[in-house]
Amino acid sequence: MTNAPEPDVRPGALRQVFALLGGTLLAQIIAFVAQMGVARLYTDTDLGYLGVFTSAATLGAAVAGARFDLSIVLPSPGHEASARSLARLASRCVLAASSLATLVAAVARPWLEERYGRELAAWMLAVGVSILFLAQGQVCSYWLTRHRRFRYIAASSVVRSGAIAALQLLCGLLASGGLGAAIGATVAGQGIAVAYLSWRSRDARTRSAEDPPVREVARRYRKMALVGVPNVVVDAVRTSAIPLLIAGYGVAALGQFNLAWMAMQAPVALIAGALSQVYLPRLSDTPPGQMTRIVVRVGATALALSLPAFAVLAWVGPALFPFLFGQRWEAAGYFARALAPWLALTVASSPLSNVFVATYHQRRMLAFACVYCLVPLAWLALSPYRIEATVGVLGVVMASLLVGMLVMVLATAREYDRGGKNRSAWAGEGAA
């Protein structure tokens, strides 16, 4: 049994969680209030096409850093030089991926025009810029996470939500809505957010003679890319393909679904986002013997916060959405009710999924991610029901899968406590 000191998971961690919760809460309030105006300026078709654009950008941003962005958190405090080199490597991967995405959008433009129309096809040429902003923001966020600068991450959430909301409302008023105003405002807001993050993480760009070459850290952390990227790709395909399959029922249906998803994601981002940011570096440093206790504490806290919140949202959703956003958004309220079980479990599973990263059991996460991706896509593609019933079944099925994931997390934590792999040896830090 190790005699290592117990990691600080209480006062310091809770202060950091509340710091992130405060920033995320304000960001979600801004976004939610702004959507009341956005929903009246833009049609459900406009927001449906915006969902197609953001789905493609989210897919590209998820893999753009090749998981070297997440690796920034992993080197021990004595290996700051490696973290700086990893930040440079991740940024180069992001630039290459965003350039490739622009090229793919240009080549695919005839197909996009045929499927979605000329206006969206033209705006898809900007998807590479959106990927650049989103993915580079993740690189900066992981650098700030490494150094526990959570107040800046919280502030960046407010900057992003405020910028996107203000620009969407302003552009919507000036242009009387429209797809171009929705996408242009979104991308511009993302740019403002990454500019703020880049400024706050500018010490990541300093150079030292001690910094290992980028090729060396790429080789040392290649397992993060080889094992982690497929997992991220699967998750990103699921996240992006679900809206695209719903668009098959009608672009307006996707607009209704996206509004429900945005509103219901507010508590998910508020609770799960803060817990994930704070506990990822701590999970990475947790010695065997203490992981299960942290997993149980985080999971119980997340469920205690999420279950009552989503129960209330499911109950009032059908009446609340038309009241807040306008009568044409009645279907979004029923979508919100259907999504409640799924998103309630997401709050608990999202921060705890980092256990697979911290214990280097990402193959288990990949196996689950494949099932978690294939099941909803197969259901949406093959469902014989109308969109409302289809989404209702989807919410129950996805919640059931997440219960299975929580069982996997607990089993992995217990296995690690009985003698898991040493983090630094696996990653190559300090290895002979």
Side-chain angles (χ1 to χ4, degrees):
M1 180 70 66
T2 179
N3 293 321
E6 188 172 308
D8 173 22
V9 296
R10 262 231 187 249
L14 288 179
R15 280 196 300 270
Q16 292 160 357
V17 168
F18 286 130
L20 280 173
L21 282 175
T24 307
L25 175 60
L26 180 56
Q28 292 298 329
I29 290 174
I30 292 171
F32 191 86
V33 172
Q35 283 299 316
M36 298 181 193
V38 168
R40 289 169 169 80
L41 291 171
Y42 300 89
T43 67
D44 49 6
T45 301
D46 290 335
L47 297 186
Y49 281 133
L50 175 62
V52 174
F53 178 89
T54 55
S55 294
T58 300
L59 174 60
V63 301
R67 298 305 271 175
F68 292 119
D69 48 359
L70 176 58
S71 300
I72 294 170
V73 182
L74 298 180
S76 60
H79 293 86
E80 196 68 11
S82 293
R84 286 193 297 268
S85 293
L86 281 167
R88 285 193 287 273
L89 173 60
S91 294
R92 294 179 186 180
C93 291
V94 166
L95 182 60
S98 59
S99 300
L100 179 62
T102 301
L103 178 61
V104 170
V107 172
R109 185 168 180 175
W111 179 83
L112 291 169
E113 286 185 358
E114 180 180 352
R115 184 172 179 83
Y116 297 111
R118 181 171 299 177
E119 186 178 11
L120 179 61
W123 274 103
M124 286 299 289
L125 295 174
V127 76
V129 178
S130 183
I131 290 171
L132 176 64
F133 292 160
L134 292 172
Q136 186 59 32
Q138 284 299 311
V139 174
C140 298
S141 292
Y142 281 123
W143 178 265
L144 295 173
T145 297
R146 173 181 175 80
H147 295 89
R148 273 62 165 184
R149 300 174 190 167
F150 298 109
R151 66 184 184 277
Y152 295 145
I153 299 175
S156 73
S157 298
V158 177
V159 170
R160 180 176 59 253
S161 290
I164 292 176
L167 290 172
Q168 282 184 340
L169 291 172
L170 178 62
C171 294
L173 286 169
L174 295 177
S176 300
L179 179 59
I183 294 179
T186 300
V187 174
Q190 293 166 353
I192 293 172
V194 76
Y196 173 81
L197 282 167
S198 296
W199 176 51
R200 288 301 188 184
S201 60
R202 57 191 180 277
D203 53 326
R205 297 188 291 276
T206 61
R207 292 181 179 269
S208 169
E210 299 176 355
D211 295 357
V214 168
R215 287 186 180 182
E216 180 181 330
V217 294
R219 176 190 58 79
R220 189 183 304 168
Y221 288 86
R222 65 188 182 278
K223 288 186 180 180
M224 286 297 291
L226 294 175
V227 179
V229 168
N231 184 64
V232 175
V233 168
V234 172
D235 278 344
V237 167
R238 171 181 52 80
T239 302
S240 301
I242 285 176
L244 296 179
L245 285 172
I246 290 176
Y249 290 85
V251 176
L254 176 58
Q256 297 279 347
F257 178 88
N258 276 346
L259 183 66
W261 184 266
M262 180 280 302
M264 298 294 281
Q265 275 287 332
V268 174
L270 178 63
I271 304 169
L275 290 172
S276 296
Q277 290 280 2
V278 169
Y279 280 100
L280 174 57
R282 283 171 168 75
L283 290 172
S284 299
D285 295 333
T286 299
Q290 300 174 19
M291 184 69 77
T292 301
R293 180 178 57 82
I294 295 177
V295 165
V296 171
R297 177 178 296 169
V298 175
T301 300
L303 287 174
L305 292 170
S306 67
L307 291 179
F310 280 99
V312 171
L313 288 173
W315 179 41
V316 303
L320 185 63
F321 274 73
F323 174 74
L324 292 177
F325 303 109
Q327 286 301 316
R328 67 183 175 191
W329 298 100
E330 181 180 2
Y334 288 97
F335 282 141
R337 172 176 287 178
L339 292 170
W342 176 12
L343 294 180
L345 270 297
T346 300
V347 170
S349 62
S350 180
L352 291 180
S353 66
N354 290 323
V355 170
F356 297 106
V357 176
T359 62
Y360 298 99
H361 284 100
Q362 293 191 78
R363 288 184 178 86
R364 295 182 184 180
M365 188 59 191
L366 177 59
F368 174 80
C370 290
V371 176
Y372 195 60
C373 175
L374 293 175
V375 168
L377 300 189
W379 171 247
L380 288 173
L382 302 175
S383 171
Y385 305 118
R386 294 169 58 88
I387 183 61
E388 294 81 3
T390 297
V391 173
V393 174
L394 178 68
V396 174
V397 169
M398 299 302 280
S400 301
L401 290 175
L402 289 177
V403 170
M405 178 190 165
L406 292 177
V407 173
M408 287 177 57
V409 168
L410 186 59
T412 300
R414 288 176 174 173
E415 179 182 334
Y416 177 79
D417 285 341
R418 291 193 297 266
K421 293 181 179 180
N422 180 269
R423 175 183 61 86
S424 62
W426 188 94
E429 291 292 351

